[in-house]
Amino acid sequence: QVQLVESGGGLVQPGGSLRLSCAASETSGVIFRIDLMGWYRQAPGNERELVATITKGGTTNYADFVKGRFTISRDNAKSTVYLQMNSLKSDDTAVYYCNANAKSTVLSPLRSYWGQGTQVTVSS
């Protein structure tokens, strides 16, 4: 079973920056394969929405509302994905969730896993 643990959320003023991290791990210690990884967010009263994704090879995709402000990256050796968020706005306030498509073992099906979420609050 793959587990995703996010960190790096918090309170920041408008115009500020935060860096989120999400580390993937498996109870046996080794994850067989991680494909697409990404970040989503959900604000109160809204549906969860895509923020950014990144393939194992490093190809990225961003929602229009974060282009030029957020950067997604990953370290395959550490099974970790990052989200650098700059020029933050009050509209960016939400719970940010990490997602990974992974096979925990060679015999496991490819599944979508989610982290528990980390709160990002942009306010003066």
Side-chain angles (χ1 to χ4, degrees), residues 20 22 35-42 48-55 58-74 81-85 92 96-101 114:
L20 305 182
C22 171
D35 291 344
L36 191 71
M37 301 185 80
W39 290 94
Y40 292 71
R41 70 185 189 185
Q42 187 169 18
R48 192 171 298 188
E49 60 184 358
L50 170 72
V51 176
T53 61
I54 184 168
T55 68
T59 300
T60 58
N61 178 57
Y62 295 95
D64 286 344
F65 54 77
V66 302
K67 284 183 179 178
R69 300 188 299 125
F70 292 9
T71 302
I72 189 171
S73 61
R74 66 190 279 176
V81 63
Y82 306 95
L83 186 68
Q84 177 66 44
M85 304 185 293
D92 295 318
Y96 284 71
Y97 295 92
C98 174
N99 175 263
N101 293 330
W114 292 91

Side-chain angles (χ1 to χ4, degrees), residues 7-34:
S7 60
L11 174 64
V12 63
Q13 293 186 343
S17 298
L18 281 176
R19 189 190 193 211
L20 305 182
S21 299
C22 171
S25 63
E26 211 277 339
T27 52
S28 70
V30 178
I31 301 173
F32 176 70
R33 190 179 90 204
I34 303 176

